[in-house]
Each structure stands twice: as C-alpha cells, then as structure tokens.
Amino acid sequence: MTTLKKSCIALIILFLLAPIFSSCRADDPIAVTHLPSIESTSVDVTETPKPVVQNTGPALSTSTPTRGLVFDDDVPEWVQEVISQHPEILKQVAEIDNTVSIGFEQTENHIGSIQYFLVAPFDVPLSSISLNQFNYIWSVDRIENNAWNGSFYLTEESQGILKHRWGNHNEGVISVALSEEGLISSLFENEQDKIAIIPAQYLSPKLRTIRIDNKSFFQPEESLARSVFSVPLYSTEELTQEPIPINFSEDQLSTVNITGVTALVRATAVLMRKNGNTYPGEKILDILTTADYTHISNEVSFSPFCPVQEYTNDSLLFCSPKETFELLSYIDADIIELTGDHLADYGPDAFLYTLELYANAGILTYGGGKNLAAAQEALRIEHNGNKFAFLGCNAKNPSYSRAAENYPGTWHCDLEVLKEEIKTLQSDGYTPIVTIQHLENELSTPPAALVEDFSELSTLTPVILIGSQAHITKPIILDEASFIHFGLGNLFFDQVNESEAHTEAVIDRLVFYDNQLLNVELFPIKFIDYAQSRPMTSEEEILFLSKIFSLSNFHLP
C-alpha cells in the first residue's frame, strides 16, 4: 500500500464522519536500497498463539463442570478452565455446600476480568483514537451512516462477551470472524487498513496496540484503556480475596522506554537556564514516567566547571552544567547509556564526576564506565518475571571517549565480543537490548555500515537492536523474534532549526510479558523550540509514521 493511501485511510479512521482527506500528503518515499532482508522466524497465523495464561490443563467439559461451579452459557470454555483450576477457587468451592454460579451479571463478588486490546498490524499508522470515537464506532444506535472506510474486526465469541460491557455493536461497521486465528490472518490480507479487538493472549509484536485518549494499555498503574477493554466476571459466592488474572496480569508486565539523543548543551541549556531545568521534559512527562524503566542516551558529561552555555559553540567540545541534572530526576530516568561521542570532551575527571552523580541518584548505567571492564559489562534487569539486559558500545572509528584498562570512557565496539555477550545473556534467559552509537548521517535512511552491523547481530535472535546516534528518525525492521530501530531522533538536543526532519522524533516503548517481547509502542514527538518537544497531534503522527513505515521492512504474514 502506498504511503499516501495509508495516511488518508488512517486519517479517515480518526475522523469517522469527516470527508475523506483528499489533500493528505506524506513526503515522497525514500528508497532504501540496502536494508537487509532478515529471514523471518514468524509462525503461521493460522496456528494458535501461546496463551498469556500458563499452566492450564485440558479444556473443561461442558457436560461435566467442576463440582460446585456452574458457568453461564456465554462464558467461554478457556475462561472456565482458568477459573476452575485456580488453587484458591478450588479450595473455596470444596468448603461451600451450595452450587456457585459464575457469569457476567454483577454481584458483590468480582472474581476476575477478561482483558481485550484494540490492535492493528504494526504498519498501520494509527496509534490512538479517543474513547468518544470508539464509542461512536461501536454503538448501534448512534451511527446513522457508514463513513468507515477501513475495517473493524472481532470474533463471535468476543462479541458475545463484550456486549456485557458496551452493549450491542454496530453491525454495519464491525465485521465478525469465526475464530481469533482467522481474524488475525484477515488483518494482514489485502491492502485495506484494519483494526480489531482481540483477547490479551493473542497479542504479538506484529500487532501494535491502539491507545485510547492517547493512554497506553500498558501503563503500570491503573490504565484507562485496560479498564475500558476489560469485562468483569462475578460469582454468587465469595471465592477469592482479590480478583484473579484470567488472561492478563499486571504482575507479569514490564515496560521500557527507549529514547534518542540527549545533550544538555548550547541552546538547550540556555532555555533551561531561562525557563527552568525541567522545561525540556514538561510536555512529554507522561510518556517518560509511565513506563517501569526509562532509558536516556546522554552523550555529554556534567562538570562543576562547565562554562555558562551560549546558543552556539563552534568548538564542539561539550559539557553540561551540573544544575541541568535536575531534568533527569524530573523525568524519572532509570538507565543512562554511556556510549556518546562527547563524554570525554572535558577529560576523565568530568566523566568520573558524572558517574558519581548517576550512582548517587540511583541511576543505572551501561556502555561506559570507570574502565573498559565496567564499560563492557551488561546491565541485567529482572522485573515481574521478565529478564532483559542492556549492552552498548561506540562503533565510530576511531572511537570517541574510548575506555581502556585503567581509563574511563565508552566501550569501542568489538562485534565478536558483543556477539558472545549476547549469546551469554540469552543462555541465562535474558532478552538483550543492544544500543550502538554508530555512524551518523542527515538522512531518513541509515548508513550502510550500521545496516551491515545490525544485519550481522540480528541473526542472534531474540534480540533488540537500537541505533543511538541518530538525530533524524530512521526505519524499523520487525520480525517474530527481533525488533530493530536504526535511530529514534533527538530527545533533548537543540537541532530544531536544521531541517523539518530534525523537529520529529519517536520514543519506543518495549513491552515484556512472560519473559518475552510482547509489543512495541511508538510515541512520536515534535520539537517546538531548541529544548522542548510535545506529543504529535493525531494528524502529524499519521503522516510521520507513514513516512517511517514506508522505508521500513516488516516481516508480516
């Protein structure tokens, strides 16, 4: 599908009753002649994906329900199975003489909820719709004519469940599939953009979740989107102290923000001095603080002797005033990548001073350190049963800020050593997140050397590969076992006047569940001055993602 067609369809989705946006235009596609065609390890979509809920036994027989439990007819067998085999419920049922009924009719005893997600194939450039827009699509008595030019899918089973949450749906807009497997397969057929409602256990990285009112389904705290798309089940007797997870548990969820270039220098530092040190992050604070971990690639060391920053610096020797560190605390930065080119601009003392600031603030670091051994060490993280680890290095030759045996700095990339580190992490059950400060260009396409190195590393699946060097957002490669983003653009840096492409960037949110990469969210941002960015509007986001996706390589079914 052409970039133009995708953009227009997505805009129509966003404004359901508005005329078709005939004037919608994206930038002319930029051909990528050297993006590797990475062999996909995708599974056949006609096969049932691995369920989110583990350790369940054989399907429950409807003719011989578990003793003491009776389920309403519209409770699916897979839900009956989860509930009837839960240890706490088994114990309680054994102690109750009466038959316990479980269904969707509300009682005082909330037993658990079935979780659904609103999704689209990854390459559909729609990322968010409002709750009002969704209600408008769904409600049978509020749509008077069909202005829907895309397709909206759910299964017959989901239809029967979701009506208990939202009422009957608009049959003129929403198509009903026989099975989740058939529904997912149909999402990737033809050229028409499609979105769907699916149960949580069918999520995969190839399906991107659609945010509701720009709120993520995966926020660690109570999520508006998760709440709206969950259907509660009730019992006639109290069976649990707390609702049990049916097909999704927040306790198994981990989210990680990956961000682009940060350099608190020159005009960015000037505006921080004028408007306050928190100024650059104020309009994107919600994105940065609603993940479990936020990664920052800060390319510059702090120094107590850093001179007052001016709008320009012809020397290109950078340091950040120590007071600008307040921004990192404000955005709740958890992980700092130390692969940047300018970390040694003010010498080893400034680098060591910066390491001390991070340590005192409880901020984790990787990719650089007090010596080469520390710089090469992987940052291993375990959270909610998920294991992922960061590795980082600087691939420029000669390398900037290069660490040595007894000298602080960054790790100069050695692909053979890096590959062995990746294999070690994988054998220990970790998903490697590898971020490389590589060669730069001022194009939307990545340099050939970056593509070559990432192509070699991508054979070591599963792996996540991120280019840390990019001041302009680069394409994405996605297959079943790997996520590759050649560059995200700037997070906090003063290049807004260099080109239109320098005003745009994206924050990638990696979503882990059951120790696997479950999903990737994209949060596009737009710079409004030398220091501050804001979330893109829906129209801007659709055009921006259409451009990036047109250059990308998605191994979709």
Side-chain angles (χ1 to χ4, degrees):
M1 183 185 297
T2 65
T3 299
L4 171 60
K5 185 173 181 182
K6 276 183 174 290
S7 301
C8 291
I9 291 176
L11 285 167
I12 292 165
I13 292 173
L14 190 64
F15 302 100
L16 296 174
L17 298 182
I20 297 176
F21 283 73
S22 60
S23 61
C24 168
R25 292 290 187 272
D27 295 343
D28 292 335
I30 302 173
V32 179
T33 59
H34 50 260
L35 274 177
S37 179
I38 299 175
E39 182 179 355
S40 172
T41 58
S42 59
V43 297
D44 186 341
V45 294
T46 61
E47 297 178 359
T48 304
K50 181 181 178 182
V52 170
V53 178
Q54 304 298 314
N55 301 322
T56 55
L60 185 70
S61 169
T62 53
S63 59
T64 57
T66 301
R67 178 172 179 167
L69 288 180
V70 176
F71 292 90
D72 289 356
D73 291 340
D74 47 1
V75 177
E77 287 190 18
W78 63 269
V79 176
Q80 296 181 30
E81 180 182 338
V82 173
I83 294 174
S84 63
Q85 295 189 10
H86 192 277
E88 185 179 357
I89 291 176
L90 287 174
K91 181 176 182 295
Q92 286 296 109
V93 168
E95 297 174 357
I96 296 176
D97 294 333
N98 299 330
T99 298
V100 180
S101 296
I102 296 176
F104 297 101
E105 184 175 350
Q106 185 171 356
T107 71
E108 294 181 352
N109 307 305
H110 177 205
I111 194 171
S113 295
I114 306 172
Q115 185 65 60
Y116 284 87
F117 288 84
L118 184 64
V119 301
F122 196 98
D123 61 346
V124 172
L126 181 69
S127 290
S128 178
I129 65 173
S130 72
L131 183 57
N132 285 339
Q133 286 169 331
F134 177 78
N135 287 336
Y136 199 81
I137 296 167
W138 180 270
S139 179
V140 68
D141 60 352
R142 291 180 58 197
I143 254 185
E144 297 178 355
N145 60 75
N146 185 7
W148 181 259
N149 287 322
S151 298
F152 198 128
Y153 283 79
L154 79 167
T155 63
E156 185 174 356
E157 178 184 276
S158 295
Q159 172 188 236
I161 295 171
L162 290 167
K163 70 181 181 182
H164 294 282
R165 188 76 166 91
W166 304 323
N168 291 319
H169 70 81
N170 183 351
E171 296 181 0
V173 172
I174 299 176
S175 301
V176 178
L178 294 178
S179 68
E180 300 295 345
E181 295 87 349
L183 181 154
I184 292 172
S185 179
S186 69
L187 291 178
F188 298 98
E189 295 174 355
N190 306 321
E191 291 191 348
Q192 191 176 36
D193 282 349
K194 300 171 183 178
I195 60 177
I197 303 172
I198 63 171
Q201 65 266 33
Y202 289 90
L203 276 178
S204 78
K206 294 187 178 184
L207 295 170
R208 204 157 51 88
T209 54
I210 307 299
R211 298 189 292 275
I212 302 298
D213 286 342
N214 216 27
K215 300 296 184 182
S216 168
F217 276 91
F218 302 112
Q219 289 181 199
E221 308 258 332
E222 181 64 29
S223 163
L224 167 68
R226 278 210 308 275
S227 175
V228 169
F229 278 77
S230 67
V231 183
L233 284 157
Y234 301 92
S235 58
T236 53
E237 299 279 350
E238 183 178 358
L239 298 178
T240 62
Q241 294 295 316
E242 298 289 339
I244 66 169
I246 302 296
N247 64 338
F248 188 84
S249 171
E250 187 180 327
D251 292 339
Q252 292 178 257
L253 176 68
S254 301
T255 54
V256 182
N257 283 333
I258 305 293
T259 67
V261 175
T262 287
L264 307 180
V265 300
R266 286 189 320 205
T268 300
V270 170
L271 291 188
M272 293 173 73
R273 188 170 69 243
K274 290 182 175 181
N275 300 322
N277 289 319
T278 63
Y279 176 73
E282 289 172 358
K283 293 186 182 299
I284 57 173
L285 185 65
D286 186 63
I287 300 172
L288 295 172
T289 58
T290 52
D292 293 306
Y293 296 90
T294 289
H295 151 284
I296 301 292
S297 179
N298 189 10
E299 296 200 17
V300 179
S301 289
F302 298 92
S303 172
F305 308 108
C306 189
V308 174
Q309 297 292 288
E310 304 295 342
Y311 281 99
T312 59
N313 179 352
D314 294 334
S315 73
L316 294 182
L317 292 175
F318 293 148
C319 65
S320 294
K322 62 179 181 180
E323 57 268 19
T324 61
F325 190 91
E326 181 184 355
L327 174 63
L328 300 181
S329 300
Y330 174 70
I331 64 172
D332 197 19
D334 302 286
I335 299 164
I336 301 293
E337 176 183 346
L338 295 173
T339 65
D341 295 345
H342 297 280
L343 286 163
D345 283 2
Y346 271 67
D349 288 344
F351 193 103
L352 293 172
Y353 173 77
T354 300
L355 290 178
E356 184 178 359
L357 287 178
Y358 292 143
N360 290 340
I363 296 176
L364 305 171
T365 61
Y366 74 99
K370 63 182 180 181
N371 53 40
L372 180 58
Q376 291 179 324
E377 186 175 354
L379 173 59
R380 299 182 177 216
I381 295 175
E382 296 189 33
H383 178 265
N384 282 352
N386 300 300
K387 300 169 69 175
F388 45 91
F390 288 84
L391 284 168
C393 59
N394 189 306
K396 295 181 174 70
N397 195 11
S399 177
Y400 292 81
S401 311
R402 190 169 185 168
E405 183 178 355
N406 296 304
Y407 195 84
T410 66
W411 177 22
H412 178 56
C413 293
D414 181 328
L415 284 194
E416 294 308 312
V417 174
L418 188 56
K419 286 190 283 188
E420 290 304 313
E421 290 291 331
I422 290 172
K423 292 176 184 176
T424 298
L425 290 171
Q426 291 170 335
S427 67
D428 291 342
Y430 290 82
T431 298
I433 303 171
V434 182
T435 63
I436 297 182
Q437 184 81 205
H438 217 290
L439 298 179
E440 301 180 23
N441 63 21
E442 300 304 313
L443 303 172
S444 295
T445 53
L450 169 57
V451 175
E452 182 179 348
D453 285 350
F454 274 19
S455 181
E456 184 174 346
L457 294 173
S458 68
T459 61
L460 303 174
T461 58
V463 67
I464 296 163
L465 302 173
I466 305 291
S468 300
Q469 77 295 327
H471 301 295
I472 293 176
T473 310
K474 309 294 187 187
I476 294 168
I477 291 180
L478 175 71
D479 66 17
E480 189 68 23
S482 299
F483 175 76
I484 303 171
H485 201 163
F486 292 105
L488 285 68
N490 293 323
L491 179 67
F492 303 126
F493 194 34
D494 65 356
Q495 295 183 312
V496 66
N497 285 343
E498 295 199 13
S499 75
E500 179 65 23
H502 284 87
T503 70
E504 302 169 332
V506 67
I507 297 168
D508 293 349
R509 181 172 293 176
L510 309 175
V511 180
F512 295 94
Y513 192 95
D514 193 26
N515 205 25
Q516 297 181 36
L517 180 66
L518 178 67
N519 217 251
V520 179
E521 293 188 286
L522 304 177
F523 294 86
I525 58 176
K526 182 86 169 178
F527 278 87
I528 60 177
D529 60 26
Y530 289 119
Q532 192 177 73
S533 63
R534 57 165 174 78
M536 286 189 184
T537 66
S538 297
E539 296 90 340
E540 291 169 339
E541 187 174 83
I542 288 168
L543 294 176
F544 170 74
L545 291 179
S546 294
K547 178 175 64 176
I548 301 305
F549 290 169
S550 72
L551 304 173
S552 299
N553 190 347
F554 300 111
H555 295 273
L556 301 176

